[in-house]
Amino acid sequence: MAELEQVSDTQAEETAKEPFNLKKELWEWAKAIFFAAVIVFIVFNFIIQVVTVKGSSMAPTLENQDRLVISDLFYTPETGDIVVLSDKTGLDEALIKRIVALPGQTVDINENGEVLVDGKVLSEPYIAELIDEDHYGDMDYPVTVPEGTVFVMGDNRNHSTDSRFSEVGFVDEDEILGRVIFRLLPLDKIGTVH
């Protein structure tokens, strides 16, 4: 008897369902698409951004036309980070560089073209080549990085305009748009960037 009551309850529920309403269905889809678009807008404008590398100043680490994902969410600059800088850095275009030194640290370049921070030669397996004497820049070394700024360089040291040159100089931390966290393209190099 209990089984019979259960079957009749199920049949009653099915007959009580509303008939298909195209207008209501379209409204539900429109709301879902709107909220998805808002979430995508927030993610791509406030959490992550996709940028394209222009030029060869970060070769061999990054090549021209590489597509990168950057984020500034809870970001605090650290040495070794690859960052995107705003177009207010002196060259009137966004730059992609590596942070070499933080506020209070002292930067020098020795006669071999090696970079020293606080008197120690940096281990830089990612650079294209050591700095030749024509590319030391117009800084008077050694230099101490002022508070609120960072010292940046491209990995392709002899083909990069960066903090060694007065056009860029020390970069205000507020001009860092974000840290590179992932390479999207080319597909054969997809993944994290170091």
Side-chain angles (χ1 to χ4, degrees), residues 33-179:
I33 290 169
F34 173 76
F35 286 117
V38 168
I39 290 169
V40 168
F41 175 80
I42 289 170
V43 167
F44 280 95
N45 283 289
F46 300 106
I47 299 174
I48 65 169
Q49 294 179 44
V50 178
V51 298
T52 302
V53 175
K54 293 180 182 165
S56 62
S57 72
M58 282 299 292
T61 308
L62 301 173
E63 300 292 338
N64 190 41
Q65 297 302 310
D66 282 3
R67 300 277 289 174
L68 310 170
V69 174
I70 68 168
S71 177
D72 70 340
L73 190 64
F74 307 119
Y75 178 65
T76 302
E78 293 182 26
T79 54
D81 287 350
I82 300 173
V83 294
V84 176
L85 310 172
S86 82
D87 59 4
K88 297 176 185 160
T89 53
L91 298 180
D92 297 327
E93 62 181 320
L95 303 175
I96 299 177
K97 303 295 177 190
R98 187 179 298 271
I99 296 176
V100 173
L102 299 172
Q105 293 186 308
T106 301
V107 179
D108 200 0
I109 300 173
N110 68 18
E111 65 279 352
N112 297 325
E114 297 168 310
V115 177
L116 293 85
V117 174
D118 293 336
K120 296 179 182 172
V121 174
L122 293 181
S123 171
E124 300 184 294
Y126 43 76
I127 63 172
E129 58 194 354
L130 295 174
I131 302 169
D132 66 40
E133 62 185 60
D134 294 334
H135 293 93
Y136 281 30
D138 52 13
M139 291 273 183
D140 290 324
Y141 298 101
V143 296
T144 300
V145 182
E147 283 303 312
T149 67
V150 294
F151 194 95
V152 298
M153 288 186 181
D155 290 355
N156 194 357
R157 296 287 161 81
N158 295 319
H159 303 279
S160 173
T161 303
D162 47 43
S163 290
R164 293 171 289 168
F165 301 91
S166 56
E167 299 101 302
V168 175
F170 301 110
V171 176
D172 193 302
E173 290 178 4
D174 292 339
E175 300 305 324
I176 298 174
L177 299 178
R179 178 178 64 93

